[in-house]
Amino acid sequence: MAQRLALQRLLSLPTRGLLAPHGRALGTSAGRRSTFNVQDGSDFQDRVVKSPKPVVVDFHAQWCGPCKILGPRLEKLVAKLEGKVLMAKVDIDDHTDLAIEYEVSAVPTVLAMKNGDVVDKFVGIKDEDQLEAFLKKLIGA
């Protein structure tokens, strides 16, 4: 009975934004909308390959320590660009087919895509200055 009351109280609390599948809150700012999780191959085609904007594709895994450092760092820099570039997150364990198609042999692997083509790529963790240079090159700034 006490557990039920605690659950009811928890469910009645106001939420701030929506909860993502992995429990992280999703805000509604323009920067947050620039980053999305790829749902399947069709979603990747529609939102990445056919995107009119440049897209940074972050191939990562839940068990990857460096991915947990790089992902938020990259998301923050993409958000600063206010919609000039999008960021697609691809979990290699959920989307092995995409990892194979794009020759991802280690994580994190980050691709820069324009007009459906891979124009740049890096593997491993980078500091913020290196990431900024990577993004500026992608958007032509």
Side-chain angles (χ1 to χ4, degrees):
M1 186 69 168
Q3 288 177 329
R4 180 187 276 161
L5 287 173
L7 182 59
Q8 285 175 336
R9 280 191 209 123
L10 181 65
L11 292 174
S12 68
L13 292 174
T15 58
R16 294 182 185 199
L18 302 173
L19 287 181
H22 302 293
R24 294 192 334 195
L26 295 177
T28 55
S29 69
R32 290 285 187 194
R33 285 186 297 234
S34 295
T35 300
F36 57 91
N37 291 315
V38 171
Q39 303 301 312
D40 55 33
S42 175
D43 186 43
F44 187 86
Q45 282 294 314
D46 291 344
R47 297 172 80 182
V48 177
V49 176
K50 295 178 182 175
S51 175
K53 293 183 180 182
V55 183
V56 174
V57 184
D58 176 19
F59 284 92
H60 68 281
Q62 292 296 319
W63 46 263
C64 168
C67 299
K68 292 178 183 182
I69 296 167
L70 180 68
R73 192 178 285 175
L74 196 51
E75 285 179 42
K76 182 176 101 176
L77 293 173
V78 166
K80 279 186 183 179
L81 294 173
E82 299 175 339
K84 292 178 185 168
V85 65
L86 302 176
M87 180 174 167
K89 298 180 67 70
V90 179
D91 187 316
I92 62 162
D93 292 326
D94 294 338
H95 306 292
T96 309
D97 54 334
L98 289 172
I100 292 169
E101 182 178 347
Y102 286 92
E103 300 175 354
V104 174
S105 58
V107 286
T109 292
V110 178
L111 307 180
M113 295 185 70
K114 255 186 186 173
N115 303 316
D117 296 323
V118 177
V119 296
D120 205 355
K121 169 183 180 174
F122 70 83
V123 178
I125 197 160
K126 302 282 184 194
D127 66 31
E128 285 196 23
D129 291 343
Q130 293 169 312
L131 293 175
E132 277 185 33
F134 180 81
L135 293 172
K136 284 181 180 178
K137 182 179 171 187
L138 176 60
I139 63 172

